[in-house]
Amino acid sequence: MELIPAADLDQALLTATEDIYLDAFPAELRAPLDDLLADDMLALVVDGRPAGFTVTRRLGPTGWVFLRYFAVGQRGSGLGSQMWRLLCAHEQAAGHTRILLDVEDPDETGIDPDEEAIRRRRIVFYQRLGAELLPVRDYSPTQPGGHPHPLRLIAAGLEPDGASVRDMVLAVYQHRYGTGPDDPAVRRALSTF
């Protein structure tokens, strides 16, 4: 089992990795494959076949990365935990000290109980692996065609770096979503902790 840069995969393996992506994410949350390849897309290869993938993007000069996508083809098999550990080792070896990601908020009003349970399980998955749910509420990306649901921000420290929650929020908004500190959405998020 290893994480391999998607750019190094032959066409058949890349197509199989893309199939996992298409199965894991609804159309409104997908970016074109070329966009993913422009970031750091890694395929989890098990016995010569893709079993999952990750996509990260550097958060400017912070030394941190943002996890855009993380999915395995077979949930509940332990592959997600193994892939997370491989990803953390990969990012640490690359000199990154923190992984940040956002997930859909399980406290969103009006969602059905099954969706709420899925969202809570997702958060628990990352927490079980050492990540922390940040105390940021009213966190909403502001990019065009932004996410249709409220989100929560999660951080996984790979090395001690003295980062504050404020630093992390500003880095994600600026370097992931292109939004400056004076934007009303950023000010709202910063006012919640």
Side-chain angles (χ1 to χ4, degrees), residues 21-54:
Y21 173 54
L22 296 174
D23 186 53
F25 294 95
E28 68 269 13
L29 298 181
R30 288 187 221 134
L33 183 61
D34 287 345
D35 289 358
L36 306 185
L37 292 169
D39 283 335
D40 188 13
M41 183 176 187
L42 301 170
L44 177 68
V45 177
V46 178
D47 297 327
R49 299 287 308 150
F53 75 98
T54 69

Side-chain angles (χ1 to χ4, degrees), residues 25-109:
F25 294 95
E28 68 269 13
L29 298 181
R30 288 187 221 134
L33 183 61
D34 287 345
D35 289 358
L36 306 185
L37 292 169
D39 283 335
D40 188 13
M41 183 176 187
L42 301 170
L44 177 68
V45 177
V46 178
D47 297 327
R49 299 287 308 150
F53 75 98
T54 69
V55 178
T56 59
R57 175 180 289 170
R58 287 190 180 108
L59 291 174
T62 64
W64 306 336
V65 294
F66 185 84
L67 180 60
R68 290 185 65 194
Y69 294 99
F70 183 96
V72 293
Q74 186 178 359
R75 292 182 184 95
S77 64
L79 284 175
S81 297
Q82 292 175 42
M83 186 167 72
W84 175 258
R85 285 188 278 281
L86 289 171
L87 175 64
C88 289
H90 170 83
E91 295 302 341
Q92 197 169 22
H96 299 126
T97 59
R98 185 168 299 279
I99 298 173
L100 294 152
L101 63 134
D102 48 35
V103 294
E104 294 169 321
D105 190 344
D107 297 326
E108 178 182 1
T109 57

